[in-house]
Amino acid sequence: MLRSLGQRPVTGRGEDPRVAELRTAVSRLRRELAALPADFPDRAIAEDQLAALAAMAAGGMPEIPRLRGSLLLIAGAIGSVSALGRGLGEVRAAVDLFGEPPRN
């Protein structure tokens, strides 16, 4: 019923489940990136943007355009690192839960 009204159920902690999913996916990808021994040119960009996503998720309801912008920067920074592909896909899926940004 809530979904038909355009609303989302909240978790037991009073949190939007999309935010919880985003926080989980970002945390997992941050751990995978930290464990990756290889260094690559855009690693700092990926780390900074993952930190930004984590901060947005910790702050409650993130802004969709900022989510998508961070996701694009992360994908560009680590897109060629196959070991992080699954984690990146999970972050993308979590961002997609928020839908499209409103068009002006």
Side-chain angles (χ1 to χ4, degrees):
M1 169 111 167
L2 288 175
R3 290 178 199 263
S4 66
L5 297 174
Q7 299 175 355
R8 301 268 183 185
V10 294
T11 64
R13 298 183 350 198
E15 177 181 58
D16 186 318
R18 298 173 300 171
V19 174
E21 184 69 26
L22 178 63
R23 185 175 21 262
T24 300
V26 167
S27 177
R28 185 175 299 124
L29 184 55
R30 288 178 89 182
R31 284 191 311 270
E32 291 173 4
L33 181 57
L36 190 68
D39 200 17
F40 50 95
D42 294 330
R43 185 180 190 126
I45 293 169
E47 290 169 343
D48 288 346
Q49 291 304 309
L50 284 167
L53 283 179
M56 285 186 251
M61 185 56 67
E63 298 174 32
I64 296 170
R66 287 184 62 205
L67 283 176
R68 294 206 173 275
S70 288
L71 176 62
L72 285 173
L73 289 170
I74 294 165
I78 65 173
S80 65
V81 182
S82 61
L84 300 174
R86 181 175 179 192
L88 178 59
E90 290 174 2
V91 171
R92 178 176 183 247
V95 168
D96 285 348
L97 292 174
F98 290 89
E100 293 293 321
R103 302 217 186 259
N104 294 340

